[in-house]
Amino acid sequence: MQRSLTQFPCTDAPGLVAFWRAEFIEHEVPPQEPEPGVVLADAGFARVTVRAFDGIGEIEVACDDPGVMVDLRSGIDEHMAEFAPTLPPLIWTGAGEAGALPPTFAEARVAGCERVGASWLRMVLTLDPQHLPRFAGAHWHFRLLRPATPGRAPVWPVLNARGTINWPKGEDALLDRVYTVQDLDPGAGTISFDIFRHAGGRTSAWAEALPLNEVVGVMGPGGKAGPEVGAPGDWLLCGGDETALPAILRGIAALPEGTCGRAVLLVGDAADRQPAAARGLDITWLFRSEGATEADLVAALTADSVPAGDTWLWFAASQQAARAVRLHGRDGLMLARDRLSSTAYWQ
């Protein structure tokens, strides 16, 4: 793995370690503490190690993907600004070429947009073929970038000399939203994804205006994918609201034959019930039009009994709901961390 390192003054070593221990837990990567003053998280594709000694803090990122490396360094910068607001921007080794576009960035054009059910719009983007292969991998989520000011020519993020990303500000600021790739067509050079239609949604309002041929930016993919199990025959309990539906439906379709379990999905009304490749799961749809709420979603998930053995849980919705389901999985079902994912997709 390639390595990138940063050092900075640190007068609160226990606080630094505690802060990053909590961050690793929040991101569902179990922290390891091999010795005093050291905490690390290993996600397989990347490892982050935090050390504190003799008034110095040190963070090392190990990763083989240059794009993931830049994203991790940038994310660490943001978190360190929370821990120590007066700390100057971090300077990383192996920074790369200042002014270049980030490795995971690509320009794309809007090729189409159509209604899916009552509450969704499916958008199709064309990309240069060189960028398509990475969207066929294990990560499905990407960032859609476009100018926050309508009609303004886009100014894209670039790398800086510190090893992180400079984002446009002021009138050049970008709207930055995360979506899940639903389909990739190498022959056509396209990816497609679903946008949830909701009141006041700037992206959904833009998409409904059919902005054909408009240039946008995409960054990624990255982040965890969706519901998964370890092997055929495992049992899965999963659920979520509209914001999680694209990830859940794609995850269910990718499950191995023989998977058992249950999925509970909260959407607007029956017209939003999309085809789902059940893969052995019993799928329950809850409709807001019939009075269902997020509380009902959580109740349905936490009331379920699950078989002993190879059980997995995946959930995403609001922060409050994700916390309740995470506690149920950890304390009620006694699931190991690697079999439990309950994520806040919104506040």
Side-chain angles (χ1 to χ4, degrees):
M1 284 186 170
Q2 298 179 4
R3 287 173 169 78
S4 185
L5 185 75
T6 185
Q7 292 185 332
F8 47 89
C10 178
T11 58
D12 183 8
L16 179 69
V17 170
F19 174 84
W20 280 104
R21 181 192 303 119
E23 287 296 327
F24 294 152
I25 292 172
E26 180 67 22
H27 287 80
E28 300 182 347
V29 183
Q32 304 171 41
E33 299 187 52
E35 59 185 279
V38 178
V39 61
L40 67 89
D42 193 336
F45 64 91
R47 183 177 64 251
V48 177
T49 304
V50 179
R51 305 180 182 94
F53 54 91
D54 298 332
I56 298 295
E58 179 181 276
I59 303 178
E60 178 186 84
V61 178
C63 179
D64 283 333
D65 187 317
V68 173
M69 179 74 80
V70 171
D71 290 344
L72 286 172
R73 291 189 305 221
S74 299
I76 289 169
D77 265 24
E78 294 173 4
H79 287 306
M80 283 302 298
E82 298 173 21
F83 173 73
T86 61
L87 187 71
L90 303 177
I91 299 175
W92 295 85
T93 61
E97 181 185 355
L101 292 169
T104 58
F105 176 86
E107 277 196 348
R109 285 187 180 272
V110 179
C113 192
E114 62 181 9
R115 291 280 290 271
V116 178
S119 300
W120 297 94
L121 295 159
R122 179 155 297 168
M123 179 168 281
V124 180
L125 301 179
T126 57
L127 283 78
D128 188 298
Q130 67 174 324
H131 296 295
L132 286 174
R134 71 173 183 258
F135 288 94
H139 300 292
W140 303 342
H141 309 309
F142 71 96
R143 299 164 73 170
L144 177 70
L145 309 177
R146 61 189 186 85
T149 303
R152 191 170 183 82
V155 175
W156 301 126
V158 296
L159 301 179
N160 58 43
R162 299 188 307 277
T164 54
I165 297 175
N166 284 346
W167 287 89
K169 297 180 179 180
E171 293 184 341
D172 291 328
L174 300 170
L175 292 178
D176 179 0
R177 300 291 185 267
V178 176
Y179 293 98
T180 302
V181 175
Q182 289 301 301
D183 189 39
L184 181 148
D185 186 337
T190 62
I191 60 172
S192 62
F193 61 101
D194 290 349
I195 299 170
F196 177 52
R197 299 173 60 237
H198 59 100
R202 297 178 69 178
T203 302
S204 61
W206 165 77
E208 288 195 82
L210 298 178
L212 296 180
N213 293 317
E214 185 167 325
V215 175
V216 297
V218 296
M219 286 184 69
K224 289 189 175 181
E228 61 181 359
V229 295
D234 287 359
W235 207 92
L236 172 68
L237 177 64
C238 71
D241 64 5
E242 297 91 342
T243 63
L245 188 62
I248 292 173
L249 293 181
R250 182 168 176 185
I252 289 174
L255 292 173
E257 293 285 355
T259 303
C260 302
R262 185 181 180 207
V264 184
L265 310 174
L266 174 64
V267 295
D269 59 42
D272 291 319
R273 180 164 47 189
Q274 298 184 30
R279 299 292 189 190
L281 270 64
D282 175 23
I283 299 179
T284 299
W285 294 86
L286 303 178
F287 304 121
R288 296 184 190 275
S289 61
E290 297 178 2
T293 66
E294 188 177 69
D296 297 314
L297 172 66
V298 172
L301 265 293
T302 57
D304 262 355
S305 60
V306 301
D310 295 322
T311 296
W312 302 68
L313 188 153
W314 192 97
F315 181 84
S318 74
Q319 186 177 67
Q320 180 178 358
R323 184 181 298 113
V325 172
R326 187 183 306 115
L327 290 174
H328 173 67
R330 186 191 69 190
D331 301 336
L333 303 181
M334 306 295 290
L335 296 180
R337 288 190 186 277
D338 62 345
R339 294 169 181 256
L340 168 61
S341 177
S342 185
T343 307
Y345 272 14
W346 55 280
Q347 297 299 316

